[in-house]
Amino acid sequence: MTEKPLKILFLAAEAVPFAKVGGLADVAGSLPGAIRALGHDVRLMIPRYGTIRSDQFHLENIGDPFTIPVGPGEEYIHLIGTTLDGGVQTYLIWNKQYFSSRDQVYGFEDDAQRFAVFGRASLAALKHLDWKPDVIHANDWHTAIVPSWLSTDGRRDPFYRDVATLFTIHNMAYQGITGRLILTFAQMEHLKHLPVEQPGVVNWMAQGIANADLVNTVSQRYAQEILTPEIGMGLDPLLLERQDRLFGVLNGIDYDQWNPAADPNVPHRFDVETLDRRVANKTALQQQARLSVQPEIPVVGMITRLDAVKGMDLMEPVLEWLLGTGEAQFVLLGTGQPQYHELFERVQDRFPERMRAFLKFDDVLARRIYAGADVFLMPSGVEPCGLGQMIAMHYGCVPVVRETGGLADTVTDYVAKRGYGTGVTWTDYTPEACIGALKRALKLYRDRKVWRRLQQRGMRADFSWSASARKYVELYRHATRVRRTKT
Ligand code: ADP
């Protein structure tokens, strides 16, 4: 018997094409469409920031404004509707004070109040629409108030009682910690204080984890890692308690946006059958980077935020070794913390003929590096999922990555899995271990046949959103079963 299609409300603080700060916006912009393509009624809901203008999107008011119980009394909310290209019905929560007068997604002193308004308004909007989803999929701390309310007050209201919830952790680093006065503002004073919360504060990420029917994060390995004190960032005891409700689902990449056979920014487009054309992209990259044009020398590329979590503290000795051998070139594209800008400038001064650091954000150059470099290096200390390695593989650029989080789940080590590996991986967070992996990669590079197969396997790997969407649908069904046992 085929199961009936689900009704899903997808809640996020940001979504492409409306507002983007980080990877969450890519997920919220792509995943609902992929779930809809499987036949489900999924609707996206985000706040309407001042930057989301009606001359850019076809926005329509839905019904009259309604009120929600927050602050000393209530706030007026307008619900606005529009449809995304892929057909996903999207709702925007419009409130003048907290959203429409702001030109940024995050970074205000009253962010906790703003997202409390968003959460309470999204719940009220369902009654306003008279649309009851089977599941609410809440993403990151900004939306954690929703599963928290549903597992407390919501239980007393028959409209909400059997709505299941899934809470997705995109990054443990942002937990939404705020004073307990927020509960007065949100009119949720009876929300239970959790042992992992410091006295006097609410940790919204913790509340989402504690109250949702199911919890997931963006790779299976990261789902394991956050159970440890090193990566759990204080919430590991709570996650351990809920371990039987914790899952990992990899993010996908959008192959319409990332396709070396159709990418207008790739000088010489290619696919898995025409990999020989890649060498012309390498020449173009070497020219742009003002490195000597040598088709045989391996080019190691990196495209990254320059942040400690991305493994930047390993880089100086690694580059000293790599460039000191004279057997490779290195191209970096990245921006971030000033000390790492200085680090790459310093190494570039020592090896000007062998490396180029582009210290900026540049999507076009990123695509040229994916298409022209031979090796893609990701030495991350922590990596919930990671996109770079998946894009690199699809562009025939072989990943050399530290075995952590999503990197461990997407790249298989050639030596460990001889015959079907897709890259080279290492474990220890040390420069020596990274150098060891690069040495192995450079050795494999010299064997043209082995290297070609590594590239081909990477290009053929399926990291599409449709694979992730199927897994999310399984989790939604699981969440509805969990909810039924509670009601
Ligand atoms: P994170 O979200 O932690 O930054 P990911 O690997 O998940 O890391 O995603 C990074 C994305 O941002 C990739 O698509 C990468 O190509 C892109 N990116 C990072 N830095 C730059 C840059 N300086 N210029 C262009 N694209 C960049």
Side-chain angles (χ1 to χ4, degrees), residues 303-305 310 333-334 360-362 366 370 378 386-388 391:
I303 304 169
T304 181
R305 283 187 293 119
K310 294 291 183 182
L333 171 62
K360 58 177 179 176
F361 192 94
D362 183 339
Y370 286 124
M378 280 180 84
L387 271 181
I391 300 170

Side-chain angles (χ1 to χ4, degrees), residues 20 22-23 26 171 251 258 303-306 309-310 333-335 358-367 370 376 378 382-389 391:
K20 172 164 170 163
D26 293 312
N171 194 334
N251 286 336
W258 297 103
I303 304 169
T304 181
R305 283 187 293 119
L306 303 183
V309 293
K310 294 291 183 182
L333 171 62
T335 56
F358 295 98
L359 300 170
K360 58 177 179 176
F361 192 94
D362 183 339
D363 182 60
V364 172
L365 178 55
R367 290 163 185 275
Y370 286 124
F376 193 75
M378 280 180 84
V382 180
E383 192 66 78
C385 178
L387 271 181
Q389 81 283 13
I391 300 170

Side-chain angles (χ1 to χ4, degrees), residues 122-237:
S122 58
L123 286 158
L126 298 177
K127 271 199 178 168
H128 182 75
L129 289 163
D130 194 23
W131 183 71
K132 182 164 133 175
D134 300 301
V135 185
I136 297 184
H137 182 171
N139 290 276
D140 270 352
W141 77 261
H142 328 100
T143 58
I145 192 172
V146 171
S148 305
W149 186 85
L150 284 170
S151 75
T152 50
D153 298 278
R155 294 190 149 221
R156 289 194 288 276
D157 184 329
F159 181 86
Y160 297 105
R161 189 158 43 218
D162 50 2
V163 177
T165 52
L166 171 68
F167 180 67
T168 300
I169 302 164
H170 293 265
N171 194 334
M172 289 298 288
Y174 307 100
Q175 300 185 353
I177 299 173
T178 186
R180 276 190 85 76
L181 269 179
I182 191 67
L183 298 181
T184 311
F185 177 84
Q187 300 191 13
M188 289 173 62
E189 265 124 339
H190 47 273
L191 191 70
K192 265 207 321 227
H193 184 261
L194 300 165
V196 290
E197 288 174 316
Q198 300 295 319
V201 308
V202 174
N203 178 323
W204 281 117
M205 177 76 93
Q207 291 291 346
I209 294 166
N211 288 302
D213 292 317
L214 296 183
V215 179
N216 85 293
T217 184
V218 291
S219 67
Q220 288 187 354
R221 180 65 73 98
Y222 191 60
Q224 292 296 314
E225 289 172 343
I226 58 179
L227 299 174
T228 65
E230 297 76 52
I231 302 191
M233 306 205 71
L235 302 190
D236 40 298

